[in-house]
Amino acid sequence: MKVRYFDHAATTPIGENVLKAMLPYLTYEYGNASALYTIGRQSKKAINEARKKVANAICAKPHEIYFTSCGSESDNLAIKGVAYANQSKGKHIITSKIEHHAVLNTCKTLEKQGFEVTYLDVDENGIIKIDQLINSIKPTTILISIMFANNEIGTIEPIEIIGDIAHKNKILFHTDSVQAVGNVKIDVNSLNIDLLSMSGHKFYAPKGIGALYAREGVEFEKIQDGGHQESDKRAGTENVAEIVGLGEAIEEIYKDYDNYNQKLLELRDYYISEIQKRIPNTKLNGDKKLRLPGNANISFPKVNAQELLLALDEKGICASAGSACSTGSTSPSHVLTAIGLDPELTEGTLRVTFGRDNTKEDVDFLIDSLEEIISKIQKK
Ligand code: PLP
């Protein structure tokens, strides 16, 4: 059976050129990047080339990029790192209620360690309330951490404005950009970003590689003890092949960004308009305009999303009920709850996220399948 994959926010397949670029470092180029002999130096060179590519993609400098094992580690390093290094100035952090658990649970841990965290509300489209952000700032606020784009509903936050508010108040600004990197053009300077987290497997690099951007001069502590790799901020022998894969993937995606973006927008907008035409009483969640190009999050009334996912799977279609991380959990999504979605609609919410290999024919198959399955499983 042909697999039709519409879950690119959960993960993406490894790109062909990415794999090709990685292969030497999984085979004969096995030198430890800290070693002085030739194959060690070659690994080091490959890491530094990748560092340049990652930096270029977000308008940063190479020495502002630190490789990590994933997006979650990058979020932990940014938030805990800044909190520990700056606690003499204050112990207050501001974040939002719709962050990924990599941020929310990091903040929970910091609360247990004596830090104070404010969790901002969002409006019905998932956008943080700027007035509430301004009113939440205290003399002890050291960090604002707001995601660039939400992983469930795709809403893009007003990053430039948040960064500006942070800087006017001498507060550092971190953004979890795991869903945005590869999907949105990012310039850390014009967007006033001090720290940014990304994860390779969301843009055709392998799972298990991420990076943190930290602006030159930003103080943050390492959270893992060991060797002095990554400018002494992230101990552990470098995963050369995956770092090379991350560099290749980010360079490739931004080289062809306009075409990729256009393709995702066309597939997404076609899917949304056909679903709204053909299935009654659906609700598109997230902001209509300020949303990721490949994200369509739609609630179907009187439908159980788990049942829907299983029926789609029988047709070879992969999609998601909410965020992949909450799959298997029976509690309603914290994001859909935060936007005030009717619990009955929350239960019937399907996230479809498009990618590079999807075709219009695939999307037509998805729409036809949804129409057929929903008419069968919808409770009367
Ligand atoms: N932040 C967001 C917004 C995400 O969507 C994810 C993963 O889905 C993460 C963080 C965690 O990234 P990783 O899976 O690389 O740890």
Side-chain angles (χ1 to χ4, degrees):
M1 183 170 48
K2 179 173 173 187
V3 170
R4 289 179 171 88
Y5 187 77
F6 298 105
D7 204 13
H8 294 82
T11 197
T12 56
I14 299 181
E16 248 175 68
N17 294 334
V18 172
L19 181 62
K20 253 189 232 155
M22 290 172 64
L23 275 176
Y25 302 93
L26 290 166
T27 50
Y28 56 90
E29 293 282 9
Y30 51 82
N32 186 317
S34 303
L36 284 180
Y37 40 76
T38 306
I39 61 166
R41 290 202 310 272
Q42 276 161 353
S43 290
K44 182 103 200 149
K45 191 164 166 244
I47 291 173
N48 286 335
E49 281 305 309
R51 204 184 302 283
K52 272 189 216 152
K53 291 177 184 178
V54 173
N56 275 344
I58 58 169
C59 307
K61 297 176 201 135
H63 64 271
E64 295 173 319
I65 304 297
Y66 302 84
F67 292 113
T68 62
S69 67
C70 58
S72 301
E73 188 193 333
S74 177
D75 284 331
N76 271 264
L77 182 56
I79 299 169
K80 288 179 183 157
V82 165
Y84 298 152
N86 293 278
Q87 55 187 318
S88 62
K89 297 178 197 148
K91 291 185 125 187
H92 180 233
I93 295 167
I94 301 174
T95 187
S96 83
K97 288 186 178 163
I98 62 162
E99 300 295 312
H100 188 273
H101 285 109
V103 168
L104 288 178
N105 288 340
T106 298
C107 288
K108 295 266 172 268
T109 297
L110 287 173
E111 280 180 295
K112 284 187 204 141
Q113 296 171 355
F115 287 86
E116 184 195 353
V117 182
T118 299
Y119 298 88
L120 299 178
D121 297 316
V122 292
D123 68 13
E124 68 280 6
N125 293 327
I127 296 182
I128 67 146
K129 297 179 176 169
I130 292 294
D131 286 357
Q132 196 191 14
L133 168 65
I134 293 169
N135 291 333
S136 301
I137 293 173
K138 306 179 183 199
T140 52
T141 309
I142 50 171
L143 177 68
I144 296 173
S145 178
I146 302 290
M147 68 200 321
F148 204 119
N150 185 267
N151 45 303
E152 293 191 39
I153 57 175
T155 297
I156 296 174
E157 298 296 336
I159 293 301
E160 187 182 339
I161 297 172
I162 300 168
D164 186 47
I165 293 168
H167 290 171
K168 284 196 172 121
N169 288 279
K170 299 195 167 36
I171 297 166
L172 292 171
F173 175 43
H174 165 248
T175 178
D176 172 350
S177 304
V178 167
Q179 292 292 338
V181 173
N183 285 309
V184 179
K185 273 192 183 162
I186 298 177
D187 175 340
V188 288
N189 301 308
S190 65
L191 292 173
N192 305 315
I193 297 168
D194 296 310
L195 302 110
L196 173 150
S197 299
M198 67 174 83
S199 177
H201 73 108
K202 308 295 187 183
F203 51 90
Y204 308 93
K207 293 160 196 60
I209 184 70
L212 171 66
Y213 154 77
R215 182 182 297 286
E216 193 176 331
V218 164
E219 283 180 31
F220 68 103
E221 270 184 22
K222 62 185 171 188
I223 55 170
Q224 175 166 301
D225 293 315
H228 301 295
Q229 291 91 352
E230 295 301 294
S231 310
D232 208 16
K233 292 297 190 196
R234 201 275 176 176
T237 300
E238 298 90 339
N239 189 344
V240 186
E242 296 233 359
I243 290 172
V244 167
L246 182 75
E248 179 68 25
I250 204 165
E251 184 180 65
E252 195 176 355
I253 206 136
Y254 280 111
K255 225 182 234 168
D256 193 35
Y257 177 80
D258 290 342
N259 285 332
Y260 179 56
N261 183 53
Q262 189 57 30
K263 174 181 179 155
L264 294 187
L265 286 176
E266 278 169 18
L267 293 179
R268 180 197 76 184
D269 292 346
Y270 173 67
Y271 167 78
I272 293 173
S273 75
E274 284 300 301
I275 290 292
Q276 287 174 337
K277 242 186 267 165
R278 287 163 59 175
I279 305 180
N281 302 321
T282 60
K283 181 178 183 309
L284 175 68
N285 300 310
D287 198 273
K288 283 190 184 65
K289 288 204 180 101
L290 297 172
R291 73 183 302 130
L292 288 171
N295 175 295
N297 182 304
I298 296 183
S299 298
F300 300 94
K302 301 186 168 43
V303 165
N304 177 301
Q306 301 295 334
E307 204 180 335
L308 177 58
L309 284 184
L310 291 178
L312 288 171
D313 186 39
E314 279 176 20
K315 290 177 177 286
I317 295 173
C318 311
S320 164
S323 122
C325 316
S326 48
T327 304
S329 137
T330 48
S331 56
S333 139
H334 67 285
V335 177
L336 300 179
T337 305
I339 61 170
L341 190 68
D342 176 345
E344 202 230 344
L345 285 177
T346 302
E347 199 194 316
T349 298
L350 185 75
R351 180 187 73 177
V352 165
T353 44
F354 299 100
R356 188 150 76 184
D357 299 329
N358 290 143
T359 62
K360 180 163 175 295
E361 181 271 323
D362 289 335
V363 180
D364 279 324
F365 185 81
L366 168 67
I367 297 164
D368 291 344
S369 303
L370 276 172
E371 195 176 23
E372 178 201 319
I373 295 167
I374 285 174
S375 71
K376 277 192 207 143
I377 68 171
Q378 208 158 30
K379 292 172 239 151
K380 298 289 168 232

